[in-house]
Amino acid sequence: MNYDPKKTLREYSVSDIQLMEITKAIQGENIDVLIMDEPTSALSSDKVERLFKKIDELKKRGITILYISHKMDKIFRIADYITVMRDGKHIRTAPVS
């Protein structure tokens, strides 16, 4: 990511800040689980593509990703399994297929 560390966060867009937070979360080798809650809500389509490529890389490293979203097209694109919850209760977990 090409960001100027001398700038304040106010000088960046919400999507840039979102990507910075995701980048901070995935730094280092000691990460086993990453939880993302609606990570694409503030991202443009090209930044969503960058995020999904990074998610694919993390999955290949064996990192478990809990991706929370209401956007089913994105879920079907990146998930291996889907868990449906309603009112805080587990409804079903199944393979995406």
Side-chain angles (χ1 to χ4, degrees):
M1 298 179 67
N2 297 320
Y3 294 111
D4 183 351
K6 295 178 183 176
K7 284 187 176 182
T8 65
L9 286 179
R10 287 187 190 122
E11 298 176 73
Y12 289 103
S13 68
V14 172
S15 65
D16 285 333
I17 295 168
Q18 179 84 344
L19 284 177
M20 285 182 218
E21 291 298 324
I22 293 168
T23 301
K24 281 188 336 188
I26 62 175
Q27 294 303 307
E29 299 297 319
N30 297 330
I31 177 175
D32 294 320
V33 177
L34 178 63
I35 301 171
M36 294 188 208
D37 188 359
E38 298 286 355
T40 61
S41 60
L43 301 182
S44 63
S45 60
D46 63 316
K47 290 180 180 175
V48 169
E49 289 303 316
R50 287 176 40 200
L51 174 62
F52 285 177
K53 285 180 184 175
K54 181 51 78 175
I55 287 172
D56 286 339
E57 290 173 21
L58 294 171
K59 286 169 59 176
K60 288 176 185 169
R61 285 179 31 200
I63 295 170
T64 299
I65 300 169
L66 301 176
Y67 187 98
I68 302 163
S69 181
H70 294 90
K71 298 177 181 179
M72 296 309 291
D73 59 322
K74 293 186 176 29
I75 293 291
F76 283 111
R77 180 152 173 232
I78 62 169
D80 298 320
Y81 291 87
I82 295 175
T83 296
V84 176
M85 299 190 70
R86 185 176 303 125
D87 298 325
K89 294 185 176 141
H90 177 262
I91 303 300
R92 184 171 182 209
T93 297
V96 170
S97 59

